[in-house]
Amino acid sequence: MTSAVSSTDPAMVDHKSLYAYLSTLPSSLLENLYRHPNPSLCMAIFRDLTPMAQKFVLRQLFIEQILPKSVFTSWITPEGKKDYDDAVRLLNDLKIWSEAPSTAGLMGWKLNEHFRKGIQAIVVGGGPSWSGDDQPTAEETTPKDIPFIQNYARERWDVVLHFLAGLSGASQISRDTVEVLTNAGLIRGSNSTESGITQNGFRFLLMDTPSQVWRFILAYLHTVPKWGMDLIECISFIFQLSFSQIGKHYSTIGFSSNQLRTLQHFREYGLIYMRSKKSSRYYPTNLVVNLSAGAGLNTSAFSEGYIIVETNYRIMVYTDSPLKIAVVSYFSDMLYRFPNLALGMITRESIRRALMKGISTDEIIKFLRMHAHPQMRENNPVLPSTLTDQIKLWEMERERCVFADGVLYNNFLSQKDFEMLRNYASDLGVAMCSNAANKVVVVSPEGHDQVRAFWKRQKKE
């Protein structure tokens, strides 16, 4: 007599920064990370802690005994209570310290010993250099300049995006890259009966470049163990790249097989540049520098202004890039195509198509604002309010119906049975809706067990 009604909406796993991702790792993996022979990894994590968290670490750095919690609270003012709570939570999440009894018997905070030694080595000196051999080899007597590296990074990353968008003539990518895209939920697997881009894939293409790279790297880190690679080495290499400099080349001497494989993967994505696969030097690109900042990185350096929208909903795309035009066509009807210009209209139907793809109006408006032409950026607001309001209204039309999970009770033998179960569910506060004419009741999944048990008792009586 009951049947389940469910609705799911998959969403991409999203951590705003590398540190938010690290806090989800098991304690054993974090312990191995802090135990890494290069103490600069601990320093990389320390640099992005909150100021108060940094102060707590430094004040404990050369104190062997465990300090009671009351000592830490005595260092802050009442106005700093929130910063204190945030610092404690951050240090706990990253397993940088843990609760332990002090010599006085009071509970205190104990600094992770491996993390302590790593920071001590940085403060007093010691530890290997990240850059390895700084002496240029014969192949780097004429190093590549920054514009060349930035252009290379953009071209390689566009190859990944072209494949994701399914554009005709797109270059093929490696099997490993396809696996990362699949694990990220951006495309359906090649063995699926409905291969191609997913709802998350459409949303991914509308993001700014740093957010795209960050979410891709998260998926890469989730895929690494499946390849039999060491996750700690991959994370440490990302830290190393994140704090490197654009335009400077680094040595691969001493790299493990895992790091060399990661290097080749990143070369394919445009995160690093190498003259050849066997080159002993590599250049970090603008896509990977400051990667540890995650999705919160300033995107102004990556934004290109090529879109103009008018109050009559006409959109002009000043580009010859098939990828950019394809992305704009997700939420507009493209009408005309010229060598360096495409014209279209944002309509009710085009917005509804975008919503059906899983793209929200907030993402559309953010995309338009992010890629607005320099002439539009002189306006305040950048986008016409008539356009943004209308896009929101079209979304509200579609959201008049709200979907929720529920359990359906029907096929009652009498009106009395229907009313008895409906009243019981209403008294419990788990009745979602009912219809007396058709004698059906829908209850929430949380109340299903209680209602079912009640109905079984009534039938026995």
Side-chain angles (χ1 to χ4, degrees):
M1 191 180 69
T2 64
S3 59
V5 183
S6 63
S7 174
T8 58
D9 181 20
M12 280 184 291
V13 175
D14 180 22
H15 303 293
K16 293 298 182 183
S17 68
L18 188 57
Y19 308 97
Y21 167 73
L22 290 178
S23 64
T24 65
L25 296 180
S27 300
S28 57
L29 283 179
L30 284 175
E31 194 71 18
N32 290 334
L33 182 64
Y34 300 148
R35 198 184 287 120
H36 195 276
N38 194 331
S40 299
L41 291 176
C42 294
M43 188 60 187
I45 297 176
F46 175 82
R47 284 177 56 177
D48 266 26
L49 296 176
T50 62
M52 186 167 290
Q54 290 179 346
K55 180 170 69 174
F56 289 162
V57 171
L58 290 177
R59 290 198 176 187
Q60 285 183 283
L61 195 57
F62 295 99
I63 300 177
E64 296 296 334
Q65 65 183 20
I66 300 172
L67 297 180
K69 294 182 180 180
S70 57
V71 174
F72 293 92
T73 56
S74 67
W75 294 339
I76 65 170
T77 61
E79 293 77 15
K81 182 64 168 60
K82 182 180 184 303
D83 292 337
Y84 170 80
D85 293 338
D86 292 341
V88 170
R89 182 167 53 252
L90 178 61
L91 294 174
N92 273 329
D93 290 344
L94 293 178
K95 311 300 185 294
I96 292 176
W97 73 9
S98 58
E99 281 189 313
S102 65
T103 53
L106 302 174
M107 290 304 295
W109 296 114
K110 179 183 179 181
L111 201 61
N112 183 291
E113 200 59 35
H114 297 293
F115 189 84
R116 180 206 300 273
K117 291 180 180 178
I119 300 299
Q120 284 179 345
I122 294 296
V123 172
V124 302
S129 170
W130 272 358
S131 57
D133 179 19
D134 288 329
Q135 297 299 320
T137 58
E139 65 175 342
E140 299 301 340
T141 52
T142 55
K144 299 297 183 180
D145 56 17
I146 293 179
F148 173 87
I149 294 174
Q150 291 176 334
N151 185 61
Y152 168 84
R154 182 169 54 250
E155 289 178 354
R156 292 306 309 167
W157 185 246
D158 280 351
V159 169
V160 177
L161 298 182
H162 275 73
F163 178 87
L164 176 61
L167 298 179
S168 58
S171 302
Q172 291 300 309
I173 58 178
S174 68
R175 184 178 303 175
D176 287 348
T177 305
V178 174
E179 187 173 354
V180 174
L181 293 174
T182 304
N183 290 338
L186 304 180
I187 61 173
R188 300 178 183 88
S190 57
N191 295 329
S192 172
T193 56
E194 297 181 359
S195 59
I197 189 170
T198 65
Q199 287 188 351
N200 285 335
F202 287 116
R203 295 170 56 197
F204 182 86
L205 289 172
L206 264 68
M207 294 177 182
D208 55 85
T209 303
S211 295
Q212 289 177 340
V213 174
W214 172 240
R215 283 161 176 78
F216 186 87
I217 290 299
L218 279 181
Y220 180 86
L221 292 176
H222 280 97
T223 310
V224 158
K226 299 180 181 179
W227 295 331
M229 297 171 61
D230 188 346
L231 180 60
I232 296 301
E233 284 194 342
C234 292
I235 294 175
S236 65
F237 185 53
I238 290 174
F239 271 120
Q240 179 174 338
L241 292 174
S242 178
F243 290 94
S244 54
Q245 298 177 16
I246 303 177
K248 184 177 180 181
H249 52 84
Y250 299 84
S251 173
T252 63
I253 296 176
F255 274 26
S256 66
S257 58
N258 284 333
Q259 288 176 313
L260 290 174
R261 185 176 180 183
T262 302
L263 201 67
Q264 294 303 323
H265 285 154
F266 284 9
R267 178 173 180 260
E268 179 183 358
Y269 312 148
L271 305 185
I272 61 104
Y273 167 77
M274 299 175 67
R275 294 179 184 269
S276 66
K277 287 186 176 181
K278 297 182 179 180
S279 176
S280 62
R281 314 292 295 189
Y282 67 91
Y283 293 80
T285 71
N286 54 312
L287 294 182
V288 74
V289 172
N290 293 322
L291 182 64
S292 59
L297 185 64
N298 187 345
T299 62
S300 58
F302 297 88
S303 301
E304 296 181 66
Y306 57 90
I307 294 177
I308 291 180
V309 287
E310 299 177 337
T311 54
N312 60 358
Y313 314 140
R314 185 168 62 175
I315 183 169
M316 292 170 281
V317 187
Y318 287 90
T319 182
D320 57 358
S321 168
L323 175 63
K324 294 176 181 177
I325 295 174
V327 172
V328 174
S329 68
Y330 291 156
F331 56 84
S332 66
D333 294 324
M334 304 310 297
L335 304 177
Y336 306 105
R337 177 77 181 272
F338 300 100
N340 63 342
L341 172 67
L343 296 177
M345 290 288 293
I346 298 177
T347 65
R348 179 174 178 268
E349 289 303 318
S350 67
I351 295 298
R352 291 188 65 182
R353 288 200 307 270
L355 294 173
M356 293 175 65
K357 289 185 174 75
I359 302 171
S360 69
T361 56
D362 287 335
E363 291 169 328
I364 294 173
I365 293 172
K366 180 182 178 181
F367 178 85
L368 292 174
R369 188 176 289 119
M370 180 172 55
H371 297 289
H373 194 276
Q375 291 182 359
M376 289 197 64
R377 295 182 183 182
E378 297 175 359
N379 302 332
N380 187 18
V382 175
L383 300 178
S385 56
T386 52
L387 172 70
T388 55
D389 291 346
Q390 186 59 64
I391 290 177
K392 287 288 187 181
L393 289 173
W394 285 330
E395 181 182 40
M396 291 171 63
E397 287 181 2
R398 188 172 181 268
E399 292 181 345
R400 286 179 292 185
C401 294
V402 179
F403 296 92
D405 293 342
V407 180
L408 175 68
Y409 287 78
N410 59 359
N411 296 332
F412 292 97
L413 299 178
S414 67
Q415 188 71 18
K416 180 181 178 181
D417 291 342
F418 160 74
E419 292 176 354
M420 179 174 55
L421 188 137
R422 180 195 60 186
N423 294 339
Y424 178 78
S426 299
D427 292 340
L428 289 178
V430 298
M432 301 177 66
C433 65
S434 62
N435 186 292
N438 296 321
K439 291 186 290 190
V440 295
V441 180
V442 178
V443 302
S444 65
E446 295 79 13
H448 171 53
D449 291 339
Q450 287 181 276
V451 174
R452 180 176 58 181
F454 167 78
W455 182 244
K456 286 183 177 180
R457 291 197 303 269
Q458 295 301 315
K459 287 199 297 184
K460 289 181 180 180
E461 296 176 1

